[in-house]
Amino acid sequence: MKPKINSFKESNKVAMTGRQAVRFVADRRSLSHLAGLSLTGERAACWLSDDELTTESGCLRSSARRHLPFVVHLASGLSTGHGAYHGTGDAGCFQMFAADAQEVADFSLIAHRISELSLAPGILAQDAPVTTDSLISLEYPSQAIVDSFLGNPDDTIETPTPAQRLLFGERRRR
């Protein structure tokens, strides 16, 4: 059997940050790639299944210790119930669980904001296949709302906590 090769592809789509979107084929090193994107200042997210998150839990814990801001979208319940979601409860990342597809869209923006302000990875889970395979209409926020809520990843912001002020001074990169 031929091994799966992870390939980065530049798409011609623009991400919500105004930058060109980068996507890669998921494999057993997905969180390592996500951590690398986060280290370079990209607003990063990936989509994993329960089994993939279980396999990548060591990388998730390492990323939390390194204070890397990214969001993992988890399709939970496909094979193990919600065991992978609950199993990462002590990983050092915050967790959110969306009840429907609209909450997935809304919580995604909220998770990115929390992640960037707290400098912690986050997991946004959804109950698969209830939300992952459902057909409903969604209300997406306008680009102006996204821009005002998340801001530009290249901006500098006032440090939100006393601990971050000790490390970064009065301002830090988003």
Side-chain angles (χ1 to χ4, degrees), residues 1-50:
M1 183 173 182
K2 191 174 180 180
K4 190 174 182 182
I5 297 173
N6 193 341
S7 61
F8 282 89
K9 296 179 181 178
E10 291 283 332
S11 73
N12 51 1
K13 295 187 177 188
V14 175
M16 63 184 168
T17 60
R19 296 179 180 179
Q20 190 168 1
V22 177
R23 92 186 159 141
F24 58 92
V25 177
D27 69 1
R28 67 188 190 314
R29 299 176 306 271
S30 295
L31 282 184
S32 298
H33 291 293
L34 191 66
L37 287 171
S38 181
L39 282 168
T40 63
E42 294 292 328
R43 185 169 281 147
C46 74
W47 289 260
L48 298 177
S49 68
D50 287 318

Side-chain angles (χ1 to χ4, degrees), residues 62-77:
S62 173
S63 296
R65 285 190 304 269
R66 294 163 68 195
H67 301 284
L68 299 180
F70 59 76
V71 177
V72 174
H73 293 266
L74 175 64
S76 185

Side-chain angles (χ1 to χ4, degrees), residues 73-90:
H73 293 266
L74 175 64
S76 185
L78 286 174
S79 60
T80 62
H82 301 303
Y85 176 78
H86 295 295
T88 57
D90 64 346

Side-chain angles (χ1 to χ4, degrees), residues 3 13 15 35 42 45 56 75 81 84 88 112 120 122 128 142 151 154:
K13 295 187 177 188
E42 294 292 328
E56 295 273 348
T88 57
H112 276 286
S142 69
D154 293 327

Side-chain angles (χ1 to χ4, degrees), residues 31-153:
L31 282 184
S32 298
H33 291 293
L34 191 66
L37 287 171
S38 181
L39 282 168
T40 63
E42 294 292 328
R43 185 169 281 147
C46 74
W47 289 260
L48 298 177
S49 68
D50 287 318
D51 295 334
E52 291 166 332
L53 182 64
T54 301
T55 303
E56 295 273 348
S57 64
C59 187
L60 182 65
R61 285 172 166 71
S62 173
S63 296
R65 285 190 304 269
R66 294 163 68 195
H67 301 284
L68 299 180
F70 59 76
V71 177
V72 174
H73 293 266
L74 175 64
S76 185
L78 286 174
S79 60
T80 62
H82 301 303
Y85 176 78
H86 295 295
T88 57
D90 64 346
C93 56
F94 67 91
Q95 296 178 308
M96 302 171 80
F97 208 108
D100 58 38
Q102 184 64 55
E103 282 189 1
V104 171
D106 297 339
F107 285 0
S108 181
L109 293 175
I110 294 167
H112 276 286
R113 181 160 177 134
I114 292 170
S115 180
E116 290 173 6
L117 290 177
S118 65
L119 296 177
I123 297 174
L124 172 54
Q126 53 187 301
D127 202 6
V130 174
T131 56
T132 57
D133 297 343
S134 62
L135 294 174
I136 65 165
S137 50
L138 297 174
E139 292 185 33
Y140 290 104
S142 69
Q143 188 63 44
I145 291 173
V146 172
D147 292 343
S148 69
F149 187 69
L150 292 181
N152 187 325

